[in-house]
Amino acid sequence: MKTLFGLLLGLGLPAAATAAGYGYVEKPEPPPVEPDDTCVSVPSDAAVTAGVYPYYANTPEEMLPFRGVEPVYRYWTTRLPFLGPGRDYPPPTDLKSLKVGLLSPASYGPEGERGQRTRKGVLLAFEEANAARQAGELPFEIFEREDAPQWGSAANIAVEFKDHDVLAFLGTIDGDATHVALRVALKIETYMINTSDPDPTLTETQIPWLTRIWPDDRQQCFRLADLIVRKHGCTRIAIFRESSRPGRVGVMHFANYIRRLGHPPIQHLFFKPGDQNIGPQIAALQAAEPDAILFYGQPGDVGRFARQFRQAGIKAKFFGFDRLQEDAFRENAGDAAEGTIITYFWDPNRPDPKWVEFKEKYRKRWGETPDAYAAYGYDGAKLLIEAINHAGPNRFLIRDYLAGLDEWDGVTGHMVFDGRWDNIVPISIAELKGGQWHFQPAPPITKLDHQKLTQR
Amino acid sequence: MNTPKNRNRRPEWLAGIFLTVALAAPAALQAEPVVKDGDLPMPLIERFENFGAKDGIPTHKVHAVYKTRDGHLWIGTWDGLCVREADGKFKRYGPEDGLSHKMVLCITEDPTTGDLWVATMRGLNKFSGGKFTQYTQTNSGLPNNVVYGCDVLDDMVVVATAAGAGILNLKTGQWRIFDHTNSLMHEPWCYAVKGAKDLIYWGIWGAGVLEYDFKKNTWKEYRDPDRDFHYDLVPDDGLINDITSWLSWEDGILWQNTYFGFTRYDGKKFKTWVQDQSPLLSNFTQIVWPHRRVAWIGMDKGVSVTDGEVWVNYEVGTDGEGIRTIHRPGAQPEKTVMNTALANRFVLGIYVDDEEAWFATSDGLSRGVYANPNPYKRLPGIAAAP
């Protein structure tokens, strides 16, 4: 028996039979971790830290679901490898350019203007890259397509990308479109860099063909929950959000986070894009007497509603997501916008040389100041260019390069990618005072455990 | 359709010899032993035969494999639909022959007419009488051109597309479309479909599995009770995850693939498996083909075969060798090194019947040759195929 036991061990087979009967080696107890109660802390639950990457997008422990209970299985504590073939496929011999797909939202739709700003950032990066190509190097070529409003359009576009042999593609803002394109990306084995979809569920599909560099709504949600409950001491919190899929998935984590902090939402009310008459919602809020209202929706809508709330005598403090930084919110809200606090990615006025240089280049090329969409579009394109330059025209090697990144520096700042290939860099905040946004520095970036990363 | 066929049955005395020799073999580790499968609820594969470019397969990647009732083997590849001809070579059909797109994702047969239904990345196709008829979202009621799955049930062709579920009534030619506006879907992202007598199961991306009773026009939802993708809180409490990558149904049992593990549902109880805590090779499960209440699961690390209790895994070793491991409850795993292996461990499609098993992989096609040429013949207690 000893011989057999040793033989099995030598083969790497599990040694101990458990009650379940299949005999698996028990995982060692993880080391204890010092507790830390800051908003962007590594969770102190020792089991949570057993993985290579921060768990649950680095959500603070007190906001984690079922904390204190060890689930039967945790995902994304390590990254899923891609185990298919392709890395040794010979490079195509007839290439005239290095094609890259760009999936943009419909220019006439609600995300159209943001998509155009993303596009400008992307185009600028590729123009720079092509200008820097040496003799004999193939130029980059962008294969552009705009999404259409009907569901599933992006899936057809992703197939079109394959038909045109793009090496990878960029896109997009709309969570629905990105989801369906991502599923196709798995089938066509073509990597996608997402630069602006805030949907927290996007990267939770376990498809190893996606990197998202845009910090998503989950990270904004725990920053907002921390801000509203712990920093401002609000206890009667209402959610007022767009009745749509982005609205639903955008605030779902916030609702859970404040509940776990002991203050579940006292109201969760909806509006439709473009609504003018929100009398019933105002009445409900007046009756509930919230001390904080979290908005989620298009900035123009939210601005209009904020003004109506103040006119109705609602005194709750206003909070919102990054989009409220756009001018439409202030324009429609007027004085009602004063004091609003939002999450944002960084201070757009910061003196960081990379950021300043990018702003200048962008202004020179497009005659306008870049925003987050333009900047993340630029960074996404730069990252993809870097991957193609490194890997050559092989989709699988491009995938390996991108999926293997743990950290990266762009004009938007330092990025840290977790087990889902999601940028989990901490979120900053801004407050509207005197008609101007005042940005605060983001909390310090949680460092990845490089010892664990090395040991992968 | 999982209709078993018993063509070319071998004499039963041959099976007896196999069993006798197998029982005499050492159990734990052997180099290419005589296999012991008499007590297993599934056939053991003793060797793999692999097919690729030399056999006329036009590309590395094979998405789907299907054997029709007339014995023809069809494969759906990255670059066309192929059929294996009498000389063993594969003949290709592509867009130039009328196929709506070269990337074929799923193949099924109408058991009544013998027509082949072919799902592609741009449209659904009927192959009948040597001709293709295309169904796209612009010339028919197909919900979306990206068709991940299709099946034939009675007079219906049912499809799962990137933007909705569809039913084509073959008698009337009318389509019914289901999405988030008229069903229980939160989002209309459908990735698998399977007919099940009076029911149709759709695998939904983010909404688990939907059961549609087409006679009563009612829906039922199966979800992961955790409602969170970062963990599985409790085993066997429902689907392992709400993101269904594939599903199938056979003889009252629903099997669900996800990239988070695997689920079995027998109408009363759920059973879930994840890697490292069960013999399931990987959480990244891409396909399941049930046959005689045994699931043949294709994933990124090979193939797991299970009836829910006993498991047999087929992996590809670092030197290309095959590795077969038998897991019996309460016993140490039995690992065998095989001289042949799957063409590739990344398994995308499976077809299994009483005679053989076929595997569509990312780098070619494999045939699994059973150790016992008629494995079900001498196993009393195994349910008859439906």
Side-chain angles (χ1 to χ4, degrees), chain A residues 107-297:
Chain A
S107 52
Y108 50 83
E111 304 298 338
E113 291 185 7
R114 296 184 190 97
Q116 288 305 306
R117 298 198 291 272
T118 300
R119 178 178 176 271
K120 287 174 181 174
V122 170
L123 291 183
L124 176 61
F126 280 104
E127 286 170 3
E128 290 175 2
N130 277 338
R133 300 304 270 178
Q134 303 293 313
E137 289 184 325
L138 290 173
F140 291 100
E141 178 185 351
I142 303 180
F143 184 81
E144 288 192 68
R145 283 293 179 270
E146 269 190 17
D147 194 16
Q150 78 263 31
W151 290 68
S153 160
N156 296 331
I157 291 172
V159 175
E160 207 177 340
F161 284 157
K162 173 67 200 95
D163 290 342
H164 288 81
D165 292 325
V166 303
L167 295 170
F169 64 101
L170 294 147
T172 181
I173 298 173
D174 181 81
D176 307 345
T178 314
H179 261 294
V180 297
L182 174 61
R183 174 65 172 164
V184 176
L186 175 70
K187 291 288 184 189
I188 63 175
E189 295 180 333
T190 303
Y191 210 79
M192 173 195 251
I193 294 181
N194 181 272
T195 66
S196 47
D197 176 6
D199 176 358
T201 67
L202 173 66
T203 54
E204 296 177 349
T205 52
Q206 193 85 311
I207 291 180
W209 288 87
L210 167 73
T211 291
R212 172 163 58 186
I213 63 172
W214 177 273
D216 72 2
D217 283 340
R218 179 198 305 271
Q219 291 150 261
Q220 301 203 39
C221 282
F222 72 69
R223 189 82 172 100
L224 284 162
D226 177 73
L227 195 66
I228 294 171
V229 174
R230 298 204 301 196
K231 303 291 190 297
H232 286 267
C234 300
T235 58
R236 299 182 58 77
I237 303 158
I239 298 171
F240 191 52
R241 58 100 165 160
E242 186 180 285
S243 178
S244 63
R245 186 178 183 281
R248 172 167 59 86
V249 300
V251 304
M252 67 181 180
H253 287 296
F254 177 81
N256 286 329
Y257 289 152
I258 60 173
R259 179 171 52 79
R260 289 173 198 140
L261 291 175
H263 302 288
I266 59 166
Q267 292 277 8
H268 192 144
L269 303 170
F270 310 151
F271 61 86
K272 291 180 182 170
D275 266 356
Q276 299 296 319
N277 176 15
I278 54 165
Q281 293 97 317
I282 288 175
L285 285 171
Q286 285 172 323
E289 296 183 350
D291 55 12
I293 297 174
L294 178 77
F295 293 99
Y296 194 105

Side-chain angles (χ1 to χ4, degrees), chain B residues 58-302:
Chain B
T59 183
H60 297 273
K61 203 172 170 193
V62 186
H63 292 127
V65 55
Y66 193 92
K67 190 158 78 173
T68 48
R69 289 173 306 138
D70 62 6
H72 280 107
L73 187 79
W74 294 82
I75 58 170
T77 80
W78 176 272
D79 189 17
L81 174 73
C82 302
V83 61
R84 192 175 184 215
E85 300 200 296
D87 62 359
K89 299 292 185 187
F90 285 85
K91 177 185 177 183
R92 176 184 175 273
Y93 296 92
E96 64 277 15
D97 301 302
L99 188 65
S100 60
H101 192 264
K102 65 180 183 180
M103 282 185 67
V104 176
L105 300 179
C106 184
I107 305 166
T108 193
E109 181 188 24
D110 184 332
T112 306
T113 64
D115 292 345
L116 207 64
W117 289 86
V118 183
T120 77
M121 290 294 253
R122 188 174 295 120
L124 177 71
N125 300 263
K126 179 175 74 174
F127 188 66
S128 179
K131 290 184 178 176
F132 288 99
T133 303
Q134 298 183 8
Y135 298 81
T136 66
Q137 65 185 69
T138 49
N139 77 357
S140 74
L142 187 71
N144 183 268
N145 276 344
V146 178
V147 187
Y148 291 108
C150 61
D151 195 17
V152 179
L153 180 64
D154 300 335
D155 295 321
M156 298 178 289
V157 176
V158 290
V159 296
T161 82
I167 299 176
L168 169 62
N169 185 317
L170 290 169
K171 283 186 175 174
T172 66
Q174 298 294 306
W175 282 86
R176 296 182 71 187
I177 296 177
F178 301 105
D179 61 18
H180 56 297
T181 64
N182 63 350
S183 75
L184 287 179
M185 296 177 203
H186 300 280
E187 296 94 5
W189 307 330
C190 304
Y191 294 100
V193 62
K194 184 65 183 174
K197 291 186 178 176
D198 295 337
L199 304 170
I200 301 168
Y201 289 101
W202 271 286
I204 314 293
W205 193 254
V209 173
L210 290 186
E211 179 185 285
Y212 178 57
D213 186 326
F214 52 86
K215 290 184 176 170
K216 298 176 183 169
N217 194 28
T218 57
W219 294 84
K220 186 176 179 181
E221 185 183 52
Y222 298 93
R223 299 290 299 272
D224 174 10
D226 301 334
R227 300 292 174 101
D228 198 301
F229 299 141
H230 284 252
Y231 52 82
D232 185 43
L233 192 66
V234 179
D236 307 332
D237 60 343
L239 301 181
I240 186 69
N241 193 277
D242 283 340
I243 299 177
T244 303
S245 56
W246 194 256
L247 62 75
S248 197
W249 178 96
E250 185 227 21
D251 197 16
I253 300 179
L254 176 71
W255 306 90
Q256 183 214 20
N257 292 98
T258 78
Y259 301 144
F260 304 79
F262 188 68
T263 308
R264 178 187 194 267
Y265 178 60
D266 63 7
K268 293 179 180 176
K269 292 180 180 175
F270 287 92
K271 177 71 181 169
T272 57
W273 295 275
V274 290
Q275 69 179 53
D276 305 326
Q277 297 180 15
S278 77
L280 183 71
L281 278 177
S282 167
N283 288 334
F284 198 82
T285 69
Q286 311 193 88
I287 189 78
V288 59
W289 183 279
H291 181 63
R292 292 182 181 266
R293 294 194 156 206
V294 167
W296 295 66
I297 312 159
M299 57 203 91
D300 60 348
K301 292 181 181 171

Side-chain angles (χ1 to χ4, degrees), chain A residues 50 68 113 214 266 305 319 380 382 415 428:
Chain A
E113 291 185 7
W214 177 273
I266 59 166
F305 302 143
F319 295 88
K382 293 285 279 187
M415 300 179 188
S428 182

